[in-house]
């Protein structure tokens, strides 16, 4: 409280002296231009440990890959400093001349990567990832509680396609929309298209989704499009897992038959972690009575507005820039050779598993991943995943047809995209399957000594190097460090892989 005019003048003078102090800009610059290692050695150490883990272990999760050096450089660039809500040429902030150039280049390269005519297709490259891209596409064409038909998650679908249990809506998609799954034929492991058509004619969804996260076979887009026209539904194809193979022209493209195509950008496409929505222009075939008529598409504005301002704010410009780099690489002969090798490696792995007596869902694979059904081995995917993790092998437990539990599913999902990026070839894939086979044997041994999954985990926690784990881990890591990952600078590796084995 001010006591007098003299007291007021004293306080004012004191404040003026405080605020007139000249900041030490030189010290600011010194701090803000210091390296991560200098500023935050704790986080630097965590990142280096993760780099070391990736270097020394088998990365077999089929949705993972190694980003090229040029992609990482764009991703860690000053492009992340800029706000740019809106589309190129229609921003809500100033100073976006070069951001516009970057995004337009990314859009152009996205269409070129998949050989699309810009008069027939457009693309939004601002999506933060695959699941947001899907929700943004749904929001553009559906009203709350409209119906969606999509592959069931336990049969290889994706969470963002609307998964729910009998007692709980798991995905936000199932909260906002009414969802019904189509499924696999459990005897063949292939999508049951006959049953899908039967339930679609009864359910009358407004949207049919073609796409999966754990389906090793090709999708019949043409058949699904005919069904969509018959019931006046949109066909959305989610090619997140297979986009690299599509870009390389090695598997059937969803673009010929789809109204909308969504994708992530960091899997087989080998870019940064982002998403894209491709949308049709021109005319859409709609059934009127017993004949089809052409109706103009109106997807462009609806999808762009659904992304912003509907569900996102400012786009991640560093990601868009890095994606443009990845899309340029996707048009090179080397990228096609890489994708061809992914398919060869996956076929080799499938053959080796069958030779060793394992059962594969659908009997094999047409793409970059395969599903191993472990029921004949009397072991589950959760136990196998944990043992292999201790042996420096990363893959994931996965449901297979007939499973009742997602916590202890009967299978594992794996694929070679990441290890192919490192230069591992067919003979290496055979050895990788041999490593996995040994890990499964260890899991069976540990299971025989425990009554349930909790005891299984506790026993491994007490003895993480026993049961042959230490020996297998050492062999795996020695095998892995024989080839250096892309995007890694050998000179900056803090941990010596050979010393740390």
């Amino acid at each position: 409280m001010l006591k007098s005019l003299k007291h007021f003048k004293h306080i004012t003078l004191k404040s003026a002296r405080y605020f007139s102090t000249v900041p030490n800009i030189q010290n600011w610059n010194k701090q803000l231009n210091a390296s991560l290692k200098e500023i935050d050695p704790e986080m630097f150490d965590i990142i280096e440990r993760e780099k070391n883990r990736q270097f020394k272990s088998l990365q077999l999760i089929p949705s993972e890959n190694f980003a090229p050096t040029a992609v990482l450089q764009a991703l860690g660039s000053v492009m992340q400093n800029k706000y740019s809500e809106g589309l190129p040429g229609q921003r809500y902030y100033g100073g976006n001349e070069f951001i516009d150039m970057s995004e337009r280049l990314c859009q152009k390269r996205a269409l070129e990567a998949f050989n699309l005519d810009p008069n027939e297709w457009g693309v939004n490259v601002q999506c933060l990832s695959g699941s947001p891209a899907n929700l943004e596409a749904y929001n553009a064409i559906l009203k709350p509680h409209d119906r969606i038909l999509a592959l069931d998650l336990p049969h290889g679908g994706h969470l963002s396609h609307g998964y729910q249990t009998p007692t709980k809506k798991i995905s936000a998609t199932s909260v906002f929309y009414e969802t019904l799954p189509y499924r696999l034929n459990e005897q063949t492991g292939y999508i049951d298209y006959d049953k899908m058509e039967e339930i679609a004619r009864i359910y009358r969804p407004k949207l049919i989704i073609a796409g999966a996260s754990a389906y090793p076979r090709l999708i019949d887009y043409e058949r699904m499009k005919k069904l969509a026209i018959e019931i006046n539904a949109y066909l959305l194809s989610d090619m997140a897992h297979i986009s690299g193979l599509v870009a390389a022209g090695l598997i059937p493209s969803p673009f010929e038959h789809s109204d909308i195509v969504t994708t992530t950008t960091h899997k087989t496409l080998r870019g940064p972690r982002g998403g894209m929505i491709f949308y049709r222009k021109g005319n859409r075939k709609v059934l009127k009575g017993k004949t089809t008529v052409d109706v103009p598409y109106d997807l462009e504005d609806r999808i762009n507005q659904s992304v912003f301002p509907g569900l996102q704010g400012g786009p991640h410009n560093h990601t868009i820039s890095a994606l443009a780099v990845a899309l340029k690489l996707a048009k090179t002969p080397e990228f096609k050779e890489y994708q061809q090798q992914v398919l060869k490696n996956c076929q080799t792995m499938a053959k080796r598993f069958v030779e060793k007596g394992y059962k594969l869902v659908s009997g094999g694979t047409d793409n970059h991943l395969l599903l191993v059904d472990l029921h004949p081995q009397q072991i589950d995917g959760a136990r196998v995943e944990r043992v292999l993790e201790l042996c420096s092998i990363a893959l994931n437990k996965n449901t297979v047809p007939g499973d009742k539990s997602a916590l202890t599913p009967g299978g594992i999902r794996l694929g070679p995209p990441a290890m192919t990026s490192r230069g591992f070839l067919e003979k290496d894939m055979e050895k990788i399957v041999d490593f996995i086979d040994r890990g499964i044997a260890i899991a069976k041994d540990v299971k025989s000594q425990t009554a349930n999954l909790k005891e299984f985990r506790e026993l491994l926690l007490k003895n993480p190097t026993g049961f042959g784990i230490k020996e297998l881990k050492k062999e795996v890591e020695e095998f892995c460090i024989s080839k250096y990952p892309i995007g890694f600078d050998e000179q900056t590796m803090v941990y010596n892989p050979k010393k740390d084995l």
Side-chain angles (χ1 to χ4, degrees):
M1 182 180 293
L2 294 175
K3 300 176 181 178
S4 64
L5 180 60
K6 184 178 180 181
H7 185 218
F8 173 77
K9 290 180 178 178
H10 171 74
I11 293 295
T12 304
L13 181 62
K14 185 177 179 181
S15 299
R17 286 172 180 166
Y18 176 81
F19 287 111
S20 67
T21 303
V22 177
N24 193 331
I25 302 298
Q26 189 173 0
N27 281 349
W28 287 8
N29 289 342
K30 183 178 179 181
Q31 182 191 62
L32 297 178
N33 284 313
S35 68
L36 174 63
K37 186 176 182 179
E38 294 173 279
I39 290 292
D40 194 341
E42 185 178 9
M43 179 52 68
F44 176 84
D45 183 69
I46 291 171
I47 292 172
E48 287 301 316
R49 287 177 182 273
E50 171 59 15
K51 186 189 295 184
N52 193 50
R53 183 198 69 82
Q54 291 182 22
F55 188 14
K56 296 193 305 182
S57 62
L58 290 170
Q59 308 299 316
L60 298 175
I61 296 173
S63 53
E64 294 182 351
N65 215 325
F66 290 94
T69 298
V71 170
L72 293 176
Q73 288 175 343
L75 195 60
S77 71
V78 297
M79 300 298 273
Q80 83 90 36
N81 295 340
K82 189 73 189 82
Y83 241 110
S84 56
E85 291 178 344
L87 294 169
Q90 306 171 43
R91 305 294 188 180
Y92 286 78
Y93 295 103
N96 278 297
E97 176 186 357
F98 303 111
I99 297 299
D100 284 358
M101 289 174 63
S102 170
E103 186 167 336
R104 286 187 174 118
L105 180 63
C106 188
Q107 291 171 321
K108 175 176 174 289
R109 288 179 177 176
L111 297 178
E112 291 172 347
F114 297 98
N115 299 309
L116 302 177
D117 184 343
N119 293 313
E120 297 178 1
W121 285 92
V123 61
N124 188 299
V125 298
Q126 294 187 6
C127 311
L128 301 182
S129 196
S131 292
N134 284 339
L135 190 58
E136 285 153 359
Y138 308 153
N139 184 55
I141 59 175
L142 301 178
K143 296 178 181 177
H145 302 295
D146 276 348
R147 296 176 176 181
I148 297 175
L149 185 69
L151 184 61
D152 203 4
L153 180 68
H155 279 223
H158 191 262
L159 191 66
S160 67
H161 297 170
Y163 180 62
Q164 58 186 331
T165 69
T167 58
K168 187 177 181 181
K169 291 183 178 295
I170 307 298
S171 166
T173 305
S174 66
V175 174
F176 300 133
Y177 309 104
E178 306 303 322
T179 61
L180 187 70
Y182 59 89
R183 313 191 82 195
L184 306 183
N185 179 313
E186 294 194 6
Q187 279 65 52
T188 66
Y190 283 77
I191 292 172
D192 191 336
Y193 290 101
D194 291 338
K195 187 68 175 179
M196 178 189 70
E197 291 172 350
E198 180 184 339
I199 60 176
R201 291 179 181 121
I202 297 171
Y203 189 61
R204 310 295 296 186
K206 190 172 181 180
L207 175 66
I208 299 174
I209 300 176
S213 65
Y215 184 60
R217 296 300 183 176
L218 303 178
I219 294 175
D220 191 342
Y221 300 110
E222 183 177 9
R223 184 170 181 178
M224 296 183 75
K225 179 58 177 177
K226 288 179 180 177
L227 175 64
I229 292 174
E230 178 188 332
I231 63 173
N232 276 343
Y234 285 100
L235 178 63
L236 181 152
S237 295
D238 182 346
M239 64 171 187
H241 263 266
I242 57 172
S243 57
L245 296 168
V246 173
L250 300 178
I251 62 173
S253 169
F255 287 99
E256 182 179 354
H257 302 290
S258 303
D259 300 299
I260 300 170
V261 177
T262 62
T263 184
T264 53
T265 56
H266 53 274
K267 296 174 181 146
T268 51
L269 199 56
R270 209 160 55 183
R273 303 187 74 85
M276 295 187 284
I277 304 174
F278 296 85
Y279 48 84
R280 280 267 189 188
K281 298 179 180 180
N283 292 319
R284 175 191 176 203
K285 292 192 179 299
V286 175
L287 190 65
K288 294 285 187 180
K290 295 183 178 181
T291 60
T292 57
V293 297
D294 288 338
V295 175
Y297 278 108
D298 59 350
L299 295 175
E300 183 169 7
D301 288 343
R302 292 166 70 179
I303 285 175
N304 286 336
Q305 289 172 18
S306 181
V307 175
F308 173 81
L311 290 164
Q312 290 182 195
H316 293 180
N317 296 306
H318 56 304
T319 302
I320 292 171
S321 301
L323 174 56
V325 176
L327 291 167
K328 180 179 181 179
L329 291 173
K331 289 297 290 181
T332 62
E334 291 80 6
F335 183 82
K336 184 170 184 176
E337 290 173 7
Y338 160 68
Q339 299 293 348
Q340 289 170 331
Q341 191 61 50
V342 167
L343 293 179
K344 290 177 184 177
N345 283 351
C346 203
Q347 291 291 338
T348 299
M349 295 180 81
K351 182 180 178 183
R352 190 67 164 180
F353 271 115
V354 171
E355 289 174 351
K356 288 185 166 293
Y358 288 91
K359 178 184 177 183
L360 302 181
V361 174
S362 79
T365 177
D366 294 322
N367 56 27
H368 67 300
L369 65 81
L370 49 89
L371 285 172
V372 182
D373 187 340
L374 297 171
H375 286 110
Q377 278 67 38
Q378 298 183 324
I379 189 75
D380 60 86
R383 287 177 169 86
V384 168
E385 178 190 78
R386 180 56 185 148
V387 167
L388 292 177
E389 185 178 31
L390 292 172
C391 299
S392 293
I393 301 174
L395 47 70
N396 64 275
K397 60 183 176 291
N398 211 94
T399 53
V400 294
D403 275 345
K404 304 298 181 184
S405 171
L407 297 177
T408 55
I412 51 175
R413 183 189 71 154
L414 65 152
M419 300 312 292
T420 306
S421 289
R422 289 184 63 168
F424 288 92
L425 305 177
E426 289 95 327
K427 286 294 182 183
D428 303 309
M429 297 301 122
E430 293 179 353
K431 192 165 186 177
I432 288 171
V433 173
D434 293 346
F435 285 145
I436 295 170
D437 181 49
R438 287 169 58 186
I440 292 171
I442 292 172
K444 291 174 66 175
D445 180 28
V446 178
K447 181 185 176 184
S448 70
Q449 301 177 43
T450 56
N452 52 47
L453 182 58
K454 181 181 178 182
E455 288 186 11
F456 181 93
R457 292 185 178 279
E458 288 173 350
L459 183 56
L460 288 175
L461 194 62
K462 292 176 183 176
N463 194 5
T465 60
F467 314 103
I469 291 173
K470 180 179 180 180
E471 293 76 14
L472 179 54
K473 177 184 175 75
K474 186 173 186 296
E475 288 186 48
V476 168
E477 293 184 351
E478 287 176 343
F479 172 77
C480 286
I481 65 174
S482 65
K483 290 182 174 65
Y484 220 83
I486 62 170
F488 280 49
D489 181 359
E490 187 172 5
Q491 303 305 316
T492 64
M493 288 287 288
V494 171
Y495 295 96
N496 185 322
K498 292 184 179 179
K499 188 182 294 185
D500 293 334
L501 288 178

